[in-house]
Amino acid sequence: MRVLVALGGNAMTAADGSASPQAQIEAVREAMEPVADLVASGHEVVLTHGNGPQVGNLLVKNELAAAVVPPVPLDWCGAQTQATIGFVVLNALEVALRRRGLRRPAAALVTRTRVDGADPGFTTPTKPIGRYLTVDEAQVLVGHGQTWQDRGERGWRRVVASPEPLEILDAEPARALVDSGYVVVAGGGGGIPCIVEPDGSIRGVEAVIDKDLSAALLGRALQVDVLVIATDVEAVATGFGSPNQRSLGAVDVAELRALAEAGEFASGSMGPKVEAVCRFVESGGSRAAICNLHQIAAAAAGEAGTVVQPTAATSEE
Ligand SMILES: Nc1ncnc2c1ncn2[C@@H]1O[C@H](COP(=O)(O)OP(=O)(O)O)[C@@H](O)[C@H]1O
Ligand SMILES: NC(=O)OP(=O)(O)O
């Protein structure tokens, strides 16, 4: 079975959201244990990952250093996060595989994702990145022209443009690597947002793509059977945060869509994950799951987390 695992922020940073190099190395080391189990079970594994904390931090560094060295645009920051996170993931994966007596070739691919320059996401920023600040700290930066949003208990967070991913431009090399036995890290941070000009040339644009939505596209482009979105909750819930909260187990895509339309899933967190698993299954994927890090292998087998299947009949398999 070919499985795409999408790793969320909790798999890449410390529990308090800290994105220091050491915190990232430790978090990724833990995340690669269940991924190595998946490889050990004989599956072909593709990895993708978020970059919200990292790309936000890089942007701040650029802005602070602008008087000293030339700042780079947000798409460059995204490309840089693919490299550093890919580097950390490959190192950790090798160790986890070696501990199981396994060796597999692995590669992290700089991946571009096509977006539409006229996407409304460019005029209404929605993607939270970087660190959390208090309302007072955030208001100072709003005064400097940045967009910040109240993200609840943890505070305020900067939001940037997040256009819809339309196509994984580097799907072909990613697929060639998977076909030849590599564990591939691709589409990190949703892919570097790019516009394809009428003459075929490609240029980056300043935005951060939602990695779950791009994972749905990457999964289909690589003919993945199962998409697993790993986050910090065991399952998708209805009535989330209320006394009536209930975890969803096996669910068919129509049922999940109806719950999404009823407003059960928060935008900017569970909303895009639910949309991504629906899109993946609706476009031909056999199964998709949302689970926590430790359930990756069981969720890939349809035995843990919220498991989404094309029809109610197949959900009883
Ligand atoms: N209906 C829901 N069911 C489960 N979790 C939800 C729901 N709505 C919002 N959430 C929140 O979504 C979070 C996961 O989204 P997010 O923090 O964006 O994940 P990641 O960084 O792993 O991609 C959970 O920690 C949970 O607090
Ligand atoms: N690009 C992206 O979706 O990153 P996070 O998952 O870290 O928010």
Side-chain angles (χ1 to χ4, degrees):
M1 194 163 74
R2 186 169 287 186
V3 183
L4 169 59
V5 179
L7 297 168
N10 66 305
M12 322 296 304
T13 54
D16 67 357
S18 158
S20 69
Q22 200 49 41
Q24 291 188 58
I25 288 168
E26 276 164 26
V28 171
R29 190 179 296 149
E30 202 180 315
M32 286 308 112
E33 293 297 325
V35 171
D37 284 339
L38 211 50
V39 176
S41 313
H43 300 307
E44 293 177 320
V45 176
V46 184
L47 295 172
T48 192
H49 57 81
N51 70 344
Q54 296 87 347
V55 78
N57 288 354
L58 260 183
L59 190 60
V60 172
K61 284 182 204 171
N62 262 280
E63 288 163 348
L64 290 177
V68 186
V69 287
V72 301
L74 183 55
D75 46 308
W76 281 46
C77 294
Q80 289 170 9
T81 66
Q82 287 189 345
T84 49
I85 296 171
F87 162 60
V88 171
V89 166
L90 293 180
N91 290 347
L93 181 63
E94 270 171 24
V95 171
L97 289 174
R98 209 177 311 130
R99 198 173 297 126
R100 288 161 179 76
L102 295 171
R103 280 175 69 88
R104 285 284 184 290
L109 192 71
V110 172
T111 315
R112 297 162 296 174
T113 300
R114 182 169 66 81
V115 300
D116 181 350
D119 191 296
F122 284 108
T123 41
T124 310
T126 53
K127 181 73 196 160
I129 60 166
R131 69 222 191 282
Y132 289 84
L133 295 182
T134 65
V135 58
D136 292 339
E137 290 167 329
Q139 288 306 339
V140 173
L141 296 166
V142 170
H144 292 153
Q146 297 179 10
T147 309
W148 285 69
Q149 209 175 62
D150 185 354
R151 302 294 302 170
E153 274 173 22
R154 295 180 70 185
W156 284 57
R157 209 169 179 205
R158 186 170 183 177
V159 285
V160 296
S162 193
E164 271 283 317
L166 300 177
E167 181 187 1
I168 307 298
L169 292 168
D170 298 292
E172 210 174 295
R175 191 165 150 186
L177 286 165
V178 188
D179 286 348
S180 39
Y182 279 72
V183 177
V184 177
V185 185
I192 308 159
C194 289
I195 287 174
V196 181
E197 303 286 13
D199 68 358
S201 61
I202 293 176
R203 68 178 168 89
V205 281
E206 294 209 70
V208 176
I209 297 173
D210 183 278
K211 68 105 183 23
D212 295 311
L213 296 182
S214 67
L217 276 181
L218 180 68
R220 295 314 301 141
L222 302 190
Q223 295 188 317
V224 157
D225 302 296
V226 179
L227 167 64
V228 178
I229 297 182
T231 181
D232 59 353
V233 287
E234 284 188 8
V236 181
T238 55
F240 184 70
S242 79
N244 301 325
Q245 180 168 328
R246 187 177 64 88
S247 287
L248 289 171
V251 62
D252 76 42
V253 73
E255 195 184 339
L256 192 59
R257 277 239 178 258
L259 291 167
E261 273 160 34
E264 287 284 353
F265 313 122
S267 66
S269 59
M270 196 46 76
K273 294 183 200 311
V274 166
E275 179 63 30
V277 292
C278 289
R279 287 184 190 181
F280 176 77
V281 169
E282 286 163 348
S283 60
S286 312
R287 181 165 64 231
I290 299 174
C291 63
N292 77 19
L293 211 50
H294 307 288
Q295 300 166 309
I296 289 174
E303 291 161 1
T306 295
V307 179
V308 189
Q309 289 178 324
T311 67
T314 51
S315 72
E316 286 163 13
E317 277 177 3

